[in-house]
Amino acid sequence: GNTSTQTITITVLDVAEVQTLLNNIKPQIKEDLQTFAFQSLQDTVRSHEQFLAMEEWECEDIEWEENKGLDVSEDQLGGFYGEEFNNCLHQYRMRYNVGYSLAAVNSGDPVSRLHGTVMVERNLNEESKLGLALTGAYTDNNKLSSYSNSDISDQSLALTLYGRQILNENSYLSAYFSQGWADYDFRLNSSNGLTVTGTPTGERQVFGLAGTYQNLFYDRPYEIDIRFSRAIEKIGTVNVTATDGSTSLDDQIQLGILDTNRLSIPVSLQVHQSEITEENNFHQTEAVAGLLCQDQKMTSSSLTCGHQLGIHWQKTHDQKEYQLRYDYSQVQHSDSHSIQGHYTHLLDEEN
């Protein structure tokens, strides 16, 4: 019979060639990873602002409530603010917060995140309180901005100490400090035929300070806050693996230290207040608007300002508090949406 010979050519890149291909795309990978981590850090600062913005009404006395414009008496409050005031002061409170955010930095692809917080706190006296919180956040199925065939996710965990000090009947100070960690996981397929994977890890410190002033505007309670937060994330050196399918190479990318600042000046006004029942049940709605300034670039700490809007609903029922919050902000070419649910109750309460 006839015999034919076919030649199949298989090209195998050696390690040096894979290294050259990886070196060509390492600067872009570095920039994309830093951009994603910077956005994650900003979202952490945004969610941590809850420690500066929580409502404080559970153990406040009658005079404080009257200054907020609530027309109530000690009898109407059913003793919760009266004879039980001192008991409330010495009880621990549990707070739970679950949120969803959607944010885009510098007109990039929006990134959605789920985050949740468990808090335990108590009043040290009538003017001050202290709390401890554990916060977790997660996002998945995102892309690196320069690679359409890519995937990156992150999950973070943080332990936060927060407190508040009442200065007088109209103002108070709040502060928090948080220590946390973020784990990233990415994979990309580049146009030069390489697949690159890595699992960076970052160590985060976040702190915030706020001053709050409360008063009445045409018999409606309003509040002005000045909040400043700063976050630092140390990622350092990232180990990556590059492969062309037959040859693999381990290498490193230096991501360094990221930081971001946030200055938030919201003004909230009560737009609706229901009647307070004998069991101290009521609900209210607040509208929020104000100034928001934050860093837009990883390479410089230069605040760029925009605006923020929000609507907050709160219900108090049987010595428990429920809140729903929607907030929107836009700074230059970056915007974000946030929805949060909040629940508070007393430990060892008598029902």
Side-chain angles (χ1 to χ4, degrees):
N2 294 327
T3 302
S4 63
T5 302
Q6 293 181 334
T7 302
I8 300 176
T9 302
I10 300 177
T11 301
V12 178
L13 299 179
D14 60 20
V15 172
E17 291 175 301
V18 173
Q19 181 70 71
T20 300
L21 293 175
L22 179 60
N23 289 341
N24 291 336
I25 61 176
K26 277 173 67 174
Q28 192 60 59
I29 295 175
K30 174 181 178 178
E31 181 179 341
D32 286 2
L33 290 176
Q34 287 179 327
T35 299
F36 186 85
F38 181 73
Q39 187 170 353
S40 176
L41 189 62
Q42 284 194 326
D43 190 73
T44 296
V45 174
R46 185 186 304 110
S47 65
H48 273 54
E49 199 169 276
Q50 64 179 304
F51 301 117
L52 306 176
M54 291 183 291
E55 294 287 340
E56 292 302 321
W57 61 267
E58 292 91 346
C59 292
E60 294 168 352
D61 57 16
I62 300 301
E63 289 75 23
W64 182 268
E65 290 298 319
E66 288 177 346
N67 285 331
K68 285 186 174 181
L70 304 182
D71 185 16
V72 298
S73 66
E74 187 170 349
D75 291 336
Q76 284 179 303
L77 292 177
F80 182 53
Y81 292 98
E83 295 179 359
E84 300 299 323
F85 177 59
N86 290 328
N87 292 335
C88 175
L89 279 178
H90 294 92
Q91 281 182 292
Y92 287 92
R93 292 185 294 273
M94 291 294 299
R95 293 181 180 267
Y96 309 90
N97 184 283
V98 177
Y100 171 82
S101 64
L102 183 67
V105 175
N106 294 327
S107 301
D109 292 333
V111 174
S112 60
R113 279 187 176 83
L114 292 173
H115 57 82
T117 304
V118 177
M119 295 161 270
V120 58
E121 65 181 41
R122 67 167 293 175
N123 288 67
L124 303 179
N125 50 51
E126 293 185 23
E127 289 78 33
S128 59
K129 77 163 187 183
L130 198 63
L132 190 66
L134 183 66
T135 301
Y138 177 77
T139 182
D140 197 3
N141 295 323
N142 301 288
K143 296 184 182 299
L144 294 172
S145 56
S146 301
Y147 298 93
S148 59
N149 191 358
S150 64
D151 181 77
I152 184 169
S153 62
D154 79 72
Q155 53 188 1
S156 62
L157 194 65
L159 188 64
T160 304
L161 181 68
Y162 63 95
R164 179 165 293 180
Q165 177 66 45
I166 295 176
L167 302 179
N168 53 53
E169 63 182 17
N170 295 109
S171 58
Y172 56 84
L173 297 176
S174 305
Y176 73 86
F177 176 80
S178 177
Q179 175 69 48
W181 299 265
D183 293 325
Y184 305 89
D185 189 350
F186 77 92
R187 178 186 181 91
L188 66 90
N189 295 317
S190 68
S191 59
N192 63 9
L194 287 187
T195 297
V196 184
T197 60
T199 54
T201 299
E203 179 182 349
R204 295 176 173 177
Q205 291 87 34
V206 189
F207 71 85
L209 301 169
T212 301
Y213 176 78
Q214 298 173 322
N215 214 317
L216 298 178
F217 178 75
Y218 288 99
D219 296 326
R220 292 186 178 274
Y222 73 90
E223 182 175 289
I224 301 174
D225 293 271
I226 301 177
R227 307 166 184 160
F228 176 78
S229 298
R230 175 171 172 78
I232 300 172
E233 181 166 353
K234 302 175 183 177
I235 303 178
T237 302
V238 178
N239 296 319
V240 299
T241 299
T243 179
D244 68 335
S246 59
T247 303
S248 296
L249 171 71
D250 293 329
D251 202 351
Q252 294 182 330
I253 298 178
Q254 183 64 242
L255 295 187
I257 300 175
L258 305 176
D259 69 90
T260 184
N261 300 297
R262 177 183 172 98
L263 176 64
S264 176
I265 308 178
V267 178
S268 61
L269 176 68
Q270 184 189 94
V271 295
H272 176 263
Q273 164 74 58
S274 70
E275 293 185 1
I276 298 180
T277 68
E278 294 181 359
E279 294 79 20
N280 189 37
N281 299 331
F282 68 96
H283 60 86
Q284 64 180 17
T285 304
E286 293 180 340
V288 182
L291 182 71
L292 176 64
C293 305
Q294 61 185 17
D295 292 335
Q296 293 296 99
K297 297 181 180 181
M298 301 172 294
T299 55
S300 63
S301 295
S302 178
L303 292 175
T304 303
C305 294
H307 64 273
Q308 57 180 313
L309 301 170
I311 189 77
H312 300 166
W313 176 84
Q314 173 188 334
K315 178 180 179 179
T316 301
H317 183 78
D318 292 338
Q319 302 182 13
K320 299 179 179 68
E321 179 184 275
Y322 308 84
Q323 291 185 38
L324 288 176
R325 292 170 172 248
Y326 168 75
D327 294 285
Y328 169 77
S329 65
Q330 183 176 49
V331 178
Q332 206 171 51
H333 303 297
S334 303
D335 57 2
S336 69
H337 303 263
S338 174
I339 299 175
Q340 297 184 61
H342 196 94
Y343 170 64
T344 305
H345 71 90
L346 296 173
L347 294 182
D348 299 323
E349 62 183 331
E350 295 182 4
N351 294 315

